[in-house]
Amino acid sequence: MTTTTSTDPPSPALHAADSHDLIRVQGARVNNLKDVSIEIPKRRLTVFTGISGSGKSSLVFGTIAAESQRLINETYSAFVQGFMPTLARPDVDVLDGLTTAIIVDQERMGANVRSTVGTATDANALLRLLFSRLGTPHIGPPTAYSFNIPMRKASGAMTVDRGKGERIVVRDAIYHGGMCPRCEGMGSITEMDLTQLYDDTKSLNEGALTIPGYSMEGWYGRIFTGSGFFDPDKPLREYTRTELDDLLHKGPTKIKVEGINLTYEGLIPRIQKSMLSKDVDTLQPHVRAFVERAVTFTACPDCGGTRLNEPARSSRIQGINIAEACAMQIDDLAEWLRGLDEPSVAPLLAGLQHTFDSFVEIGLGYLSLDRPSGTLSGGEAQRTRMIRHLGSSLTDVTYVFDEPTIGLHPHDIARMNGLLRRLRDKGNTVLVVEHKPEVIAIADHVIDLGPGAGAGGGEVVFEGTVEALRSSATLTGRHLDDRASLKPSVRTPTGRLEVRGADTNNLQDVDVDIPLGVLAVLTGVAGSGKSSLIDGSVTGREGVVSIDQTGIKGSRRSNPATYTGLLDPIRAAFAKANGVKPALFSANSEGACPTCSGAGVIYTELGFMDTVATTCEDCGGKRYEATVLDYHLGGRDISEVLAMSVSEAEAFFGAGEARTPAAHVILQRFIDVGLGYLRLGQPLPTLSGGERQRLKLATHMGEKGGVYVLDEPTSGLHLADVRQLLALLDRLVDGGKSVIVIEHHQAVMAHADWIIDLGPGAGRDGGRIVFEGPPADLVAARSTLTGEHLAAYVGT
């Protein structure tokens, strides 16, 4: 008898390809990072936490994602790279194990007036193809349904060579387009109030033009006065009809001014190209004020605001034309699409159905495809970008999200968490910068940066699991389970701001009295009508100061001192102390270092290779010429002042020889919003999203007005910073101001004196007031989604 002994086969050795399961970062020094070295697990969900300004974005976006994109760009030929933006290598020693990075950030979508939700997501392209196949009557190819393409007709002769000699063939060609010819696909026409363009009692040389940027000293003025079409010294009211028409309406005409060949164009077409072709919300404040004052936008009478010409509107599928389809709520459009049974276009229907279902799944079913993309909030724009990734077949890529819960009601955050998990479970690496504890709770791995912000941050203070974070001594760990409690007593209103018959967007004839002299909070799910109520009925009233979510813009030459106007009193103080002109103390004017033109660095372009930035040797990066740095105020030169933190500068300008009350007031506002650590000369592009929001708040706090309206001021704020924000809101109210806040954060709701809850749902299911009263009554009733989540948050 033979006995056989079986043994388990030895486990195979780890395949070499399976050893690359980490993203390794060594010696990262981007912005305020201090030689950060970490290892991030691949195919896991990693959340980066830390207070605003601690270095999260610098590590995730400025280092990991930036290097991934740069390396991908290098895979293209030198010829192709010449057409792509040149990305510099991040300041880091080693980056290993990178995969392709897909960035989904908070940037608002393009402000082109022709951009809509449908064009931005390619849904319109598929819908146009569908109508070109199934629409009756058939009017042409997909371009015939596009509001961005005009109908064009051409005729001419061409030479044809078919081997039997040449002959001339005369043909008529029609290029199909769907653009409404009257409004040129804009959907609206403009009417200008001529009294806002000029003062007809003056001549051009006397400054008759009242349009921003059209001074007689600039190029515009020199073009108008040198055109020869009218007398620049004659009052405009004395112009002949021809002269006035040339001034206002003349088309592009070649002229020569001061020996230079230029193009002259009338005021109205020039304004339409330079100002009205852009989204009004993206214009500079003074230009936006002029446009709102001088221009009236009305729906195009020819197309009814649909942007499409008559043939495009006449073609229908089951009684619906493409304009009506784009105007539907997307969840309704998805249902209509399900009713189409056309085997000939089955793949097209499936692709459209997936796109529309993704909108609904991500909580944007209340949008319509014709919604201008520039009107989307930061959170809506970010989720719209996510749609193209939900059905992607790509795996083993790195998705990078910047606070994906911004603009989301607590009810919607669970849905967002599910989407993040789905991306991870497909084998992708998901990196999320986030402050919300609901998102931190689902992380496989947490990396906490700190311990402070700005120069006090830039270090990894924790790596590990969520449970380990809770028991850690870091700021995030200590505040992770923070829960606000309801106020024992609420303030009594001093008045009411009446809103009657509000019907902006989805609002359904809303009547509401917003209490004044208290902290009033507007709540409701995303798309319930909160912003519509404020923008349509409150913003613009006398005494109302509105602080919305639009990002602040600025180049590397812009910094907190220039953005807030702080530099003006500082320059004036330096000039007075030294008996010279204030312009000397501007790095963008007379005081700039001539070698680097006040930039502090010199950029060397190397074609398709990395642009090299080197510190200017003449000024040592201080941006000013040497003679300017000989002037002092309180023992400091201007470059040393700009290198100060806000807290240092507040003490410096608050007393002693450098005492400057105008500067001290602005600096105190910085501290009030928690930005005491910022350097005055820190370039704006290096600020985080939360820092920019609070910088904007600090700027607007100086405006005169009795009512402050804030749109989600907790965006980008760490759990620990929310308390500071609540204290600031209390100081504003106790100082006699009325504060109205649109907010989803439960801590702000609990701290409110009065809550106005909109809903019950989004889009057509919202737009109604479902609750008004103090937070305690909302919690007790639990009659709305907000009430349920707030009750769970405060633990009642």
Side-chain angles (χ1 to χ4, degrees), residues 566 646-647 649-651 661-676 698 701 728 731:
L566 172 65
V646 168
S647 298
E650 190 268 340
H664 187 262
V665 169
I666 298 175
L667 288 163
Q668 187 58 53
R669 294 191 200 116
F670 273 81
I671 294 174
D672 287 343
V673 298
L675 294 178
M701 281 173 61
L728 171 62
R731 285 199 299 274

PDB file of all heavy atoms in Angstrom, residues 566 646-647 649-651 661-676 698 701 728 731:
ATOM      1  N   LEU A 566      -5.640  97.629   0.114  1.00  0.00           N
ATOM      2  CA  LEU A 566      -4.767  97.921   1.245  1.00  0.00           C
ATOM      3  C   LEU A 566      -3.502  98.649   0.823  1.00  0.00           C
ATOM      4  O   LEU A 566      -2.967  99.492   1.560  1.00  0.00           O
ATOM      5  CB  LEU A 566      -4.410  96.603   1.953  1.00  0.00           C
ATOM      6  CG  LEU A 566      -3.347  96.663   3.054  1.00  0.00           C
ATOM      7  CD1 LEU A 566      -3.834  97.499   4.232  1.00  0.00           C
ATOM      8  CD2 LEU A 566      -2.976  95.251   3.518  1.00  0.00           C
ATOM      9  N   VAL A 646      -0.377  89.255   7.876  1.00  0.00           N
ATOM     10  CA  VAL A 646      -1.428  90.223   8.216  1.00  0.00           C
ATOM     11  C   VAL A 646      -1.359  90.596   9.688  1.00  0.00           C
ATOM     12  O   VAL A 646      -1.503  91.775  10.058  1.00  0.00           O
ATOM     13  CB  VAL A 646      -2.817  89.643   7.858  1.00  0.00           C
ATOM     14  CG1 VAL A 646      -3.930  90.493   8.459  1.00  0.00           C
ATOM     15  CG2 VAL A 646      -2.975  89.538   6.349  1.00  0.00           C
ATOM     16  N   SER A 647      -1.122  89.617  10.543  1.00  0.00           N
ATOM     17  CA  SER A 647      -1.054  89.889  11.990  1.00  0.00           C
ATOM     18  C   SER A 647       0.102  90.835  12.320  1.00  0.00           C
ATOM     19  O   SER A 647      -0.051  91.767  13.118  1.00  0.00           O
ATOM     20  CB  SER A 647      -0.900  88.580  12.772  1.00  0.00           C
ATOM     21  OG  SER A 647      -2.018  87.742  12.559  1.00  0.00           O
ATOM     22  N   ALA A 649       1.489  92.984  10.227  1.00  0.00           N
ATOM     23  CA  ALA A 649       1.186  94.291   9.652  1.00  0.00           C
ATOM     24  C   ALA A 649       0.140  95.031  10.469  1.00  0.00           C
ATOM     25  O   ALA A 649       0.191  96.265  10.592  1.00  0.00           O
ATOM     26  CB  ALA A 649       0.700  94.112   8.208  1.00  0.00           C
ATOM     27  N   GLU A 650      -0.806  94.298  11.064  1.00  0.00           N
ATOM     28  CA  GLU A 650      -1.844  94.945  11.876  1.00  0.00           C
ATOM     29  C   GLU A 650      -1.225  95.645  13.082  1.00  0.00           C
ATOM     30  O   GLU A 650      -1.602  96.771  13.432  1.00  0.00           O
ATOM     31  CB  GLU A 650      -2.867  93.888  12.318  1.00  0.00           C
ATOM     32  CG  GLU A 650      -4.119  94.437  12.969  1.00  0.00           C
ATOM     33  CD  GLU A 650      -4.011  94.544  14.473  1.00  0.00           C
ATOM     34  OE1 GLU A 650      -3.141  93.861  15.042  1.00  0.00           O
ATOM     35  OE2 GLU A 650      -4.779  95.324  15.078  1.00  0.00           O
ATOM     36  N   ALA A 651      -0.239  94.996  13.704  1.00  0.00           N
ATOM     37  CA  ALA A 651       0.458  95.634  14.825  1.00  0.00           C
ATOM     38  C   ALA A 651       1.353  96.770  14.339  1.00  0.00           C
ATOM     39  O   ALA A 651       1.458  97.826  14.990  1.00  0.00           O
ATOM     40  CB  ALA A 651       1.284  94.582  15.569  1.00  0.00           C
ATOM     41  N   PRO A 661      -4.230 104.609  10.070  1.00  0.00           N
ATOM     42  CA  PRO A 661      -5.584 104.123  10.401  1.00  0.00           C
ATOM     43  C   PRO A 661      -6.303 103.455   9.230  1.00  0.00           C
ATOM     44  O   PRO A 661      -6.964 102.428   9.410  1.00  0.00           O
ATOM     45  CB  PRO A 661      -6.311 105.398  10.846  1.00  0.00           C
ATOM     46  CG  PRO A 661      -5.226 106.301  11.347  1.00  0.00           C
ATOM     47  CD  PRO A 661      -4.045 106.017  10.479  1.00  0.00           C
ATOM     48  N   ALA A 662      -6.174 104.022   8.005  1.00  0.00           N
ATOM     49  CA  ALA A 662      -6.888 103.444   6.858  1.00  0.00           C
ATOM     50  C   ALA A 662      -6.421 102.021   6.567  1.00  0.00           C
ATOM     51  O   ALA A 662      -7.224 101.143   6.231  1.00  0.00           O
ATOM     52  CB  ALA A 662      -6.686 104.322   5.620  1.00  0.00           C
ATOM     53  N   ALA A 663      -5.113 101.771   6.691  1.00  0.00           N
ATOM     54  CA  ALA A 663      -4.578 100.427   6.478  1.00  0.00           C
ATOM     55  C   ALA A 663      -4.957  99.506   7.634  1.00  0.00           C
ATOM     56  O   ALA A 663      -5.276  98.327   7.436  1.00  0.00           O
ATOM     57  CB  ALA A 663      -3.061 100.477   6.313  1.00  0.00           C
ATOM     58  N   HIS A 664      -4.956 100.051   8.849  1.00  0.00           N
ATOM     59  CA  HIS A 664      -5.239  99.239  10.030  1.00  0.00           C
ATOM     60  C   HIS A 664      -6.662  98.687   9.997  1.00  0.00           C
ATOM     61  O   HIS A 664      -6.915  97.539  10.391  1.00  0.00           O
ATOM     62  CB  HIS A 664      -5.016 100.077  11.292  1.00  0.00           C
ATOM     63  CG  HIS A 664      -5.129  99.284  12.558  1.00  0.00           C
ATOM     64  ND1 HIS A 664      -6.276  99.252  13.325  1.00  0.00           N
ATOM     65  CD2 HIS A 664      -4.241  98.467  13.178  1.00  0.00           C
ATOM     66  CE1 HIS A 664      -6.086  98.472  14.360  1.00  0.00           C
ATOM     67  NE2 HIS A 664      -4.859  97.971  14.298  1.00  0.00           N
ATOM     68  N   VAL A 665      -7.619  99.494   9.503  1.00  0.00           N
ATOM     69  CA  VAL A 665      -9.011  99.040   9.424  1.00  0.00           C
ATOM     70  C   VAL A 665      -9.134  97.841   8.491  1.00  0.00           C
ATOM     71  O   VAL A 665      -9.806  96.846   8.810  1.00  0.00           O
ATOM     72  CB  VAL A 665      -9.910 100.200   8.930  1.00  0.00           C
ATOM     73  CG1 VAL A 665     -11.301  99.685   8.583  1.00  0.00           C
ATOM     74  CG2 VAL A 665     -10.018 101.279   9.993  1.00  0.00           C
ATOM     75  N   ILE A 666      -8.484  97.901   7.335  1.00  0.00           N
ATOM     76  CA  ILE A 666      -8.555  96.789   6.376  1.00  0.00           C
ATOM     77  C   ILE A 666      -7.887  95.545   6.947  1.00  0.00           C
ATOM     78  O   ILE A 666      -8.399  94.422   6.815  1.00  0.00           O
ATOM     79  CB  ILE A 666      -7.897  97.195   5.040  1.00  0.00           C
ATOM     80  CG1 ILE A 666      -8.642  98.377   4.416  1.00  0.00           C
ATOM     81  CG2 ILE A 666      -7.871  96.013   4.057  1.00  0.00           C
ATOM     82  CD1 ILE A 666      -8.002  98.937   3.158  1.00  0.00           C
ATOM     83  N   LEU A 667      -6.751  95.729   7.606  1.00  0.00           N
ATOM     84  CA  LEU A 667      -6.033  94.589   8.191  1.00  0.00           C
ATOM     85  C   LEU A 667      -6.860  93.920   9.289  1.00  0.00           C
ATOM     86  O   LEU A 667      -6.817  92.698   9.452  1.00  0.00           O
ATOM     87  CB  LEU A 667      -4.684  95.063   8.747  1.00  0.00           C
ATOM     88  CG  LEU A 667      -3.648  95.425   7.671  1.00  0.00           C
ATOM     89  CD1 LEU A 667      -2.523  96.255   8.269  1.00  0.00           C
ATOM     90  CD2 LEU A 667      -3.089  94.156   7.032  1.00  0.00           C
ATOM     91  N   GLN A 668      -7.613  94.713  10.027  1.00  0.00           N
ATOM     92  CA  GLN A 668      -8.450  94.141  11.081  1.00  0.00           C
ATOM     93  C   GLN A 668      -9.538  93.255  10.473  1.00  0.00           C
ATOM     94  O   GLN A 668      -9.894  92.216  11.040  1.00  0.00           O
ATOM     95  CB  GLN A 668      -9.092  95.264  11.904  1.00  0.00           C
ATOM     96  CG  GLN A 668      -9.853  94.767  13.133  1.00  0.00           C
ATOM     97  CD  GLN A 668      -8.976  93.968  14.084  1.00  0.00           C
ATOM     98  OE1 GLN A 668      -7.921  94.426  14.511  1.00  0.00           O
ATOM     99  NE2 GLN A 668      -9.403  92.745  14.401  1.00  0.00           N
ATOM    100  N   ARG A 669     -10.027  93.619   9.287  1.00  0.00           N
ATOM    101  CA  ARG A 669     -11.029  92.787   8.618  1.00  0.00           C
ATOM    102  C   ARG A 669     -10.421  91.450   8.195  1.00  0.00           C
ATOM    103  O   ARG A 669     -11.078  90.409   8.252  1.00  0.00           O
ATOM    104  CB  ARG A 669     -11.599  93.508   7.389  1.00  0.00           C
ATOM    105  CG  ARG A 669     -12.398  94.753   7.725  1.00  0.00           C
ATOM    106  CD  ARG A 669     -13.163  95.252   6.494  1.00  0.00           C
ATOM    107  NE  ARG A 669     -13.536  96.643   6.675  1.00  0.00           N
ATOM    108  CZ  ARG A 669     -13.103  97.642   5.935  1.00  0.00           C
ATOM    109  NH1 ARG A 669     -12.274  97.404   4.939  1.00  0.00           N
ATOM    110  NH2 ARG A 669     -13.493  98.874   6.160  1.00  0.00           N
ATOM    111  N   PHE A 670      -9.157  91.477   7.739  1.00  0.00           N
ATOM    112  CA  PHE A 670      -8.457  90.225   7.415  1.00  0.00           C
ATOM    113  C   PHE A 670      -8.469  89.288   8.621  1.00  0.00           C
ATOM    114  O   PHE A 670      -8.743  88.095   8.502  1.00  0.00           O
ATOM    115  CB  PHE A 670      -6.999  90.523   7.057  1.00  0.00           C
ATOM    116  CG  PHE A 670      -6.748  90.867   5.618  1.00  0.00           C
ATOM    117  CD1 PHE A 670      -6.989  92.141   5.150  1.00  0.00           C
ATOM    118  CD2 PHE A 670      -6.262  89.930   4.735  1.00  0.00           C
ATOM    119  CE1 PHE A 670      -6.740  92.479   3.838  1.00  0.00           C
ATOM    120  CE2 PHE A 670      -6.013  90.241   3.412  1.00  0.00           C
ATOM    121  CZ  PHE A 670      -6.256  91.529   2.953  1.00  0.00           C
ATOM    122  N   ILE A 671      -8.122  89.829   9.765  1.00  0.00           N
ATOM    123  CA  ILE A 671      -8.045  89.015  10.990  1.00  0.00           C
ATOM    124  C   ILE A 671      -9.426  88.513  11.382  1.00  0.00           C
ATOM    125  O   ILE A 671      -9.589  87.366  11.822  1.00  0.00           O
ATOM    126  CB  ILE A 671      -7.390  89.831  12.120  1.00  0.00           C
ATOM    127  CG1 ILE A 671      -5.925  90.110  11.762  1.00  0.00           C
ATOM    128  CG2 ILE A 671      -7.489  89.107  13.456  1.00  0.00           C
ATOM    129  CD1 ILE A 671      -5.209  91.034  12.717  1.00  0.00           C
ATOM    130  N   ASP A 672     -10.453  89.354  11.199  1.00  0.00           N
ATOM    131  CA  ASP A 672     -11.811  88.954  11.552  1.00  0.00           C
ATOM    132  C   ASP A 672     -12.266  87.726  10.772  1.00  0.00           C
ATOM    133  O   ASP A 672     -13.051  86.923  11.282  1.00  0.00           O
ATOM    134  CB  ASP A 672     -12.790  90.115  11.285  1.00  0.00           C
ATOM    135  CG  ASP A 672     -12.660  91.239  12.312  1.00  0.00           C
ATOM    136  OD1 ASP A 672     -12.078  90.983  13.382  1.00  0.00           O
ATOM    137  OD2 ASP A 672     -13.130  92.353  12.042  1.00  0.00           O
ATOM    138  N   VAL A 673     -11.804  87.576   9.523  1.00  0.00           N
ATOM    139  CA  VAL A 673     -12.210  86.420   8.714  1.00  0.00           C
ATOM    140  C   VAL A 673     -11.199  85.280   8.795  1.00  0.00           C
ATOM    141  O   VAL A 673     -11.271  84.317   8.025  1.00  0.00           O
ATOM    142  CB  VAL A 673     -12.438  86.816   7.235  1.00  0.00           C
ATOM    143  CG1 VAL A 673     -13.560  87.833   7.122  1.00  0.00           C
ATOM    144  CG2 VAL A 673     -11.170  87.353   6.589  1.00  0.00           C
ATOM    145  N   GLY A 674     -10.231  85.386   9.707  1.00  0.00           N
ATOM    146  CA  GLY A 674      -9.292  84.284   9.932  1.00  0.00           C
ATOM    147  C   GLY A 674      -8.136  84.207   8.969  1.00  0.00           C
ATOM    148  O   GLY A 674      -7.588  83.128   8.733  1.00  0.00           O
ATOM    149  N   LEU A 675      -7.731  85.350   8.398  1.00  0.00           N
ATOM    150  CA  LEU A 675      -6.623  85.345   7.443  1.00  0.00           C
ATOM    151  C   LEU A 675      -5.400  86.061   8.006  1.00  0.00           C
ATOM    152  O   LEU A 675      -4.605  86.624   7.256  1.00  0.00           O
ATOM    153  CB  LEU A 675      -7.050  86.021   6.125  1.00  0.00           C
ATOM    154  CG  LEU A 675      -8.127  85.293   5.311  1.00  0.00           C
ATOM    155  CD1 LEU A 675      -8.490  86.096   4.077  1.00  0.00           C
ATOM    156  CD2 LEU A 675      -7.656  83.896   4.915  1.00  0.00           C
ATOM    157  N   GLY A 676      -5.221  86.021   9.303  1.00  0.00           N
ATOM    158  CA  GLY A 676      -4.093  86.710   9.913  1.00  0.00           C
ATOM    159  C   GLY A 676      -2.740  86.153   9.518  1.00  0.00           C
ATOM    160  O   GLY A 676      -1.716  86.825   9.669  1.00  0.00           O
ATOM    161  N   ALA A 698     -13.725  89.748   3.392  1.00  0.00           N
ATOM    162  CA  ALA A 698     -13.034  90.855   4.072  1.00  0.00           C
ATOM    163  C   ALA A 698     -13.129  92.139   3.258  1.00  0.00           C
ATOM    164  O   ALA A 698     -13.278  93.233   3.817  1.00  0.00           O
ATOM    165  CB  ALA A 698     -11.573  90.482   4.302  1.00  0.00           C
ATOM    166  N   MET A 701     -16.714  93.628   3.476  1.00  0.00           N
ATOM    167  CA  MET A 701     -17.100  94.116   4.798  1.00  0.00           C
ATOM    168  C   MET A 701     -16.900  95.618   4.927  1.00  0.00           C
ATOM    169  O   MET A 701     -17.465  96.253   5.814  1.00  0.00           O
ATOM    170  CB  MET A 701     -16.303  93.383   5.878  1.00  0.00           C
ATOM    171  CG  MET A 701     -16.822  91.995   6.183  1.00  0.00           C
ATOM    172  SD  MET A 701     -15.746  91.093   7.322  1.00  0.00           S
ATOM    173  CE  MET A 701     -15.808  92.141   8.766  1.00  0.00           C
ATOM    174  N   LEU A 728     -17.875  85.616  13.568  1.00  0.00           N
ATOM    175  CA  LEU A 728     -17.854  86.801  12.703  1.00  0.00           C
ATOM    176  C   LEU A 728     -19.276  87.215  12.341  1.00  0.00           C
ATOM    177  O   LEU A 728     -19.613  88.412  12.387  1.00  0.00           O
ATOM    178  CB  LEU A 728     -17.049  86.501  11.442  1.00  0.00           C
ATOM    179  CG  LEU A 728     -17.106  87.557  10.341  1.00  0.00           C
ATOM    180  CD1 LEU A 728     -16.532  88.877  10.818  1.00  0.00           C
ATOM    181  CD2 LEU A 728     -16.361  87.077   9.090  1.00  0.00           C
ATOM    182  N   ARG A 731     -20.816  88.960  15.199  1.00  0.00           N
ATOM    183  CA  ARG A 731     -20.320  90.335  15.374  1.00  0.00           C
ATOM    184  C   ARG A 731     -20.998  91.290  14.390  1.00  0.00           C
ATOM    185  O   ARG A 731     -21.305  92.429  14.729  1.00  0.00           O
ATOM    186  CB  ARG A 731     -18.803  90.378  15.184  1.00  0.00           C
ATOM    187  CG  ARG A 731     -18.014  89.825  16.350  1.00  0.00           C
ATOM    188  CD  ARG A 731     -16.566  90.293  16.328  1.00  0.00           C
ATOM    189  NE  ARG A 731     -15.851  89.869  15.149  1.00  0.00           N
ATOM    190  CZ  ARG A 731     -15.238  88.688  15.042  1.00  0.00           C
ATOM    191  NH1 ARG A 731     -15.274  87.835  16.054  1.00  0.00           N
ATOM    192  NH2 ARG A 731     -14.591  88.356  13.940  1.00  0.00           N
TER     193      ARG A 731
END
